Amino acid sequence: MKAKMIKALWGMNGTLEEQVDLISKAGYAGIEAAPPSAEDADRFKLLLDEYQLEYIAMVFTGGEDHGATFEEQVKRSVEFRLQLINAHSAKDSMPFDKQVEFFSKALEIEQQAGIPIGHETHRGRALFTPWSAVRLLEELPELKFTADLSHWCCVCESLLEDQTANLARVFDNVIHIHARVGYAQGPQVPHPAAPEYSRELEAHEAWWQHICRLRKANGFEAITFTPEFGPPGYLQTLPFTNQPVADLWELCLWMTRHIERRFPEWH
């Protein structure tokens, strides 16, 4: 099983050219970001081609018609050479029948687009808990997921010790992993290398390894990982100064190198 390490543009500084150059020099296989604006689309395509980087598009549903915003953004995304699409889909407050309606339509759009779409396990979205994801799978077993399990740790205020059965059901449908480490009180530890968060890191590693084994058993040769640590708001800051407690680029790079060291069989 090969792990392809992808870098999110979220929280990066500098021009797009500077960001892409830095990502390429760090050895990442690709970029994850929302589709660029129409005026930047050609520039973005040229940079992906020049640096031979893969692309994972991010889409975010919203407004009064989540289905319409999903369809519009997927259409924009498929203008690019894509590895897959990662979607922040629907809302946690949406009635269940409306969620089923949304995801049924999403599966049709995915089939028409011809690109795998992973719906992210994210707070505030329909997939905000393990049991809500499983409930949807019972109705729509073809749904695919992006596993960002840090959110579930936060929502469930635990390392999901009582969710073994639900996790097992969800893991079989995961096509992409956000390798951020969460804890019971938040979606992002201050630094995954800190010894006080070793239990959290080990739990996430075990989940990722389980997903990779299932993906290999299902006949796939690779899976994508995005070490998606976020900027302040996610990244803790010191009181009164708003000074981040760690460097965001270094956080993501540490997670990338740790996965490469921890699981050499994936490379």
Side-chain angles (χ1 to χ4, degrees), residues 5-169:
M5 304 306 298
I6 309 295
K7 179 66 181 72
L9 295 187
W10 184 34
M12 290 191 68
N13 299 313
T15 66
L16 181 59
E17 287 80 5
E18 290 169 340
Q19 293 176 36
V20 172
D21 186 64
L22 187 62
I23 287 167
S24 176
K25 287 177 178 175
Y28 288 100
I31 289 169
E32 181 169 346
S37 62
E39 55 266 30
D40 288 332
D42 289 341
R43 173 178 164 222
F44 190 64
K45 290 175 184 176
L46 286 172
L47 285 169
L48 292 175
D49 288 342
E50 178 183 349
Y51 286 92
Q52 291 297 292
L53 291 170
E54 297 180 2
Y55 176 45
I56 293 175
M58 297 188 74
V59 304
F60 305 83
T61 74
E64 295 186 7
D65 190 339
H66 283 258
T69 58
F70 179 81
E71 184 169 18
E72 186 273 329
Q73 290 176 68
V74 169
K75 286 180 178 178
R76 283 182 55 211
S77 298
V78 297
E79 296 175 6
F80 299 87
R81 177 174 48 83
L82 289 174
Q83 181 77 11
L84 58 91
I85 294 172
N86 175 43
H88 285 216
S89 299
K91 280 294 292 177
D92 52 0
S93 58
M94 188 181 289
F96 183 69
D97 62 329
K98 295 298 182 183
Q99 291 184 16
V100 172
E101 181 180 318
F102 168 84
F103 284 106
S104 297
K105 181 64 175 177
L107 286 171
E108 293 176 10
I109 294 169
E110 178 183 8
Q111 186 174 25
Q112 293 164 6
I115 297 292
I117 299 177
H119 301 277
E120 187 172 341
T121 60
H122 202 289
R123 290 171 300 148
R125 297 294 181 172
L127 302 172
F128 74 114
T129 68
W131 52 90
S132 59
V134 168
R135 190 181 181 197
L136 281 163
L137 275 177
E138 290 171 349
E139 297 288 333
L140 302 165
E142 299 306 311
L143 275 181
K144 303 175 185 68
F145 298 127
T146 292
D148 191 336
L149 302 166
S150 66
H151 289 285
W152 283 356
C153 292
C154 179
V155 172
C156 299
E157 288 195 302
S158 70
L159 289 180
L160 310 177
E161 293 90 346
D162 63 343
Q163 293 298 312
T164 302
N166 286 333
L167 291 176
R169 179 66 187 90

Side-chain angles (χ1 to χ4, degrees), residues 22 36 40 58 88 93 153 170 178 188 190 193 196 204 217 226 245-246:
L22 187 62
D40 288 332
M58 297 188 74
H88 285 216
S93 58
C153 292
V170 168
H178 274 184
Q188 179 171 305
E196 59 267 35
H204 284 73
T226 300
V245 299

